[in-house]
Amino acid sequence: MTEAATWEDELATVERDAAVSEPMVRQAVRWLARTHPLGDGSRVLDVGSGPGCATVILAEEFPDSEVIAVDPTAGFTARAAARFTEHGLGRRVRAGYGEIGTSSLPALGPADLVWCAHVVHHLPDPVAALRELSSLLVPGSGVLAVAEGGLSARFLPGGYGVGNPGFVSRLEAALSDHFVGSWSLTGAAVGGGRDWPLLLADAGLRHRVTRTFLLDLPAPASPEVRGHVVDRFTRIQRLVGPALFEEDSAALARLLDPADPVALVNRPDLFVLQATTWHLGSRI
């Protein structure tokens, strides 16, 4: 299966994840609009936009800007275009093909704001990607906003009430190892010991500010949030279940067994708490 086909298959999951994380993303965009306001005739690029969920928020918070959603997956850009019509955003907002590392991206500049969320860490050379994104900026005033890093999400108190001590940490480590291997990522792509502001500097950008926002959805979880969490752990089981220690595999199975009192679907203490960090840079 090709990478594009894999992403096409993930459309419903991506949209549900975006709906759950919308409060955090909107906080970040509002902060950005307040600290870096844009006037008439300005342009915003959402690079790696997926089905355009964040693009809608960018368009709403930057009402005087042309906003362009950019993604290499045809199914995502088609859904984004439909979403913009549903929201009545008209010709000011559009979706089209674009991919970091190809000739398609440079033609989209210059932009006053380039927004790129959870994309660069997928790439084998993040510094080259940041350099390419910075080339899209209006010299002097353009801002690159990259959402990368933060803190892993938590969904239940303590050790989730299953397994041996360290279950949650081992589960996260197994998932991280899986993605590093499946995406053939190099050490540089996962940070290589250097934080994102340092990577911005390596790419020739001036680091302007870093800000972290919380997704805080307390218990009791809504049906939508609970479904999001169950889907997330179902996917984790599919991806890394065979690679887990026997006791960790059994603990994960308990979380997904609706007949078990400690399962995600039965827990009144289920919540979502996650921190995502945005890093802003500009061309030197």
Side-chain angles (χ1 to χ4, degrees):
M1 181 180 293
T2 66
E3 179 179 314
T6 300
W7 283 120
E8 296 276 11
D9 294 341
E10 294 290 336
L11 175 58
T13 299
V14 170
E15 289 198 301
R16 173 142 64 180
D17 290 353
V20 170
S21 63
E22 180 180 346
M24 176 179 63
V25 175
R26 190 171 292 278
Q27 284 182 64
V29 177
R30 284 180 175 169
W31 162 72
L32 191 56
R34 185 176 66 253
T35 57
H36 296 82
L38 300 179
D40 289 341
S42 56
R43 299 180 78 237
V44 176
L45 297 180
D46 181 3
V47 179
S49 59
C53 302
T55 316
V56 169
I57 299 174
L58 288 164
E60 291 172 347
E61 299 298 332
F62 291 97
D64 299 319
S65 301
E66 175 190 17
V67 184
I68 304 172
V70 183
D71 201 274
T73 304
F76 282 2
T77 55
R79 180 66 187 100
R83 185 185 307 280
F84 303 155
T85 299
E86 292 166 6
H87 282 78
L89 293 172
R91 296 183 179 180
R92 185 173 65 88
V93 185
R94 58 187 173 88
Y97 173 83
E99 184 173 12
I100 296 174
T102 72
S103 60
S104 60
L105 208 57
L108 296 169
D112 299 277
L113 170 65
V114 174
W115 170 278
C116 189
H118 311 296
V119 173
V120 178
H121 73 270
H122 286 295
L123 303 174
D125 189 342
V127 173
L130 291 170
R131 190 176 295 118
E132 184 175 352
L133 291 169
S134 71
S135 72
L136 302 172
L137 297 174
V138 172
S141 60
V143 174
L144 172 62
V146 179
E148 294 287 358
L151 297 174
S152 299
R154 289 290 182 269
F155 307 99
L156 289 165
Y160 292 5
V162 295
N164 296 325
F167 162 68
V168 177
S169 296
R170 290 192 298 274
L171 192 63
E172 290 177 350
L175 193 62
S176 177
D177 289 346
H178 166 81
F179 284 122
V180 169
S182 63
W183 289 92
S184 300
L185 299 180
T186 64
V190 291
R194 294 177 67 75
D195 196 7
W196 287 96
L198 299 179
L199 295 176
L200 288 171
D202 291 344
L205 288 154
R206 177 170 67 90
H207 173 239
R208 300 181 67 156
V209 66
T210 288
R211 177 77 182 270
T212 299
F213 293 89
L214 287 178
L215 177 63
D216 184 6
L217 307 175
S222 69
E224 179 184 48
V225 170
R226 192 175 296 273
H228 158 79
V229 176
V230 171
D231 279 358
R232 182 167 178 155
F233 276 80
T234 300
R235 185 168 183 252
I236 290 172
Q237 186 183 54
R238 184 176 74 250
L239 293 176
V240 304
L244 297 175
F245 293 115
E246 183 177 352
E247 62 268 28
D248 290 339
S249 180
L252 180 57
R254 290 191 67 191
L255 290 176
L256 292 170
D257 180 3
D260 195 312
V262 302
L264 299 169
V265 296
N266 299 321
R267 296 288 292 269
D269 51 354
L270 184 75
F271 61 84
V272 176
L273 182 62
Q274 180 178 349
T276 299
T277 302
W278 273 260
H279 311 278
L280 305 190
S282 58
R283 292 170 63 175
I284 296 175

